[in-house]
Amino acid sequence: MPNKNNNSDIFFIEQAIHFAKEAQKLNEVPIGAVAVFENKIIGAGWNCPISTNDPTNHAEIVALRNAAKKLNNYRLVDVTLYVTLEPCAMCVGAMLYARVKRLVFGADDPKAGAVVSVFQLLDEKKLNHKIIYTGGVLKNECGKLLSDFFLAKRKK
């Protein structure tokens, strides 16, 4: 279910960009995420699978884990997740199991995106939970962070 963005979407994607830059400092792919409940950040994360030797430590998963601890509940029914890059299938699955209410993301991921690019998992009618989603919020800024990161990697 696509949805339109608003000013708070821009603000919270900017916060996710801040966390993406934390990933970059660790030489991780610069992706950041924040989980928001009642207009407050209750969980944040950045990509860190390399530094933690954990393939599940994507920014979204880390933010969801932190939000669940904060709410003392694995169900995040009134939470919006903001992420700088369109989530992969693993992260979409985690959002569905957590019953996240809404997803807002920045750049599309033409290689592994599971919302609009490669798969459209959130539009699957067989799923028993629906997540409202909005893509393309600060798309250029989020995309530039990633393209600059990979450009620098190729130059090494």
Side-chain angles (χ1 to χ4, degrees), residues 8 27-28 37 54 111 115 132-133 135 146 152 154:
S8 63
N27 208 26
E28 298 271 5
F37 176 71
D54 182 347
K111 293 184 179 179
V115 179
I132 300 163
Y133 64 87
L146 288 158
R154 286 191 293 274

Side-chain angles (χ1 to χ4, degrees), residues 49-118:
I50 298 166
S51 59
T52 61
N53 294 312
D54 182 347
T56 68
N57 265 349
H58 287 195
E60 300 94 323
I61 303 290
V62 176
L64 291 172
R65 285 176 182 150
N66 290 331
K69 285 178 186 170
K70 178 80 171 180
L71 293 179
N72 199 32
N73 193 339
Y74 75 106
R75 295 288 196 217
L76 304 174
V77 294
D78 289 318
V79 168
T80 298
L81 186 68
Y82 294 86
V83 62
T84 57
L85 182 68
E86 177 186 358
C88 69
M90 175 183 69
C91 293
V92 167
M95 286 182 264
L96 286 164
Y97 282 114
R99 302 296 193 258
V100 166
K101 182 176 186 174
R102 187 166 174 252
L103 164 69
V104 179
F105 63 90
D108 293 349
D109 184 351
K111 293 184 179 179
V115 179
V116 296
S117 297
V118 178

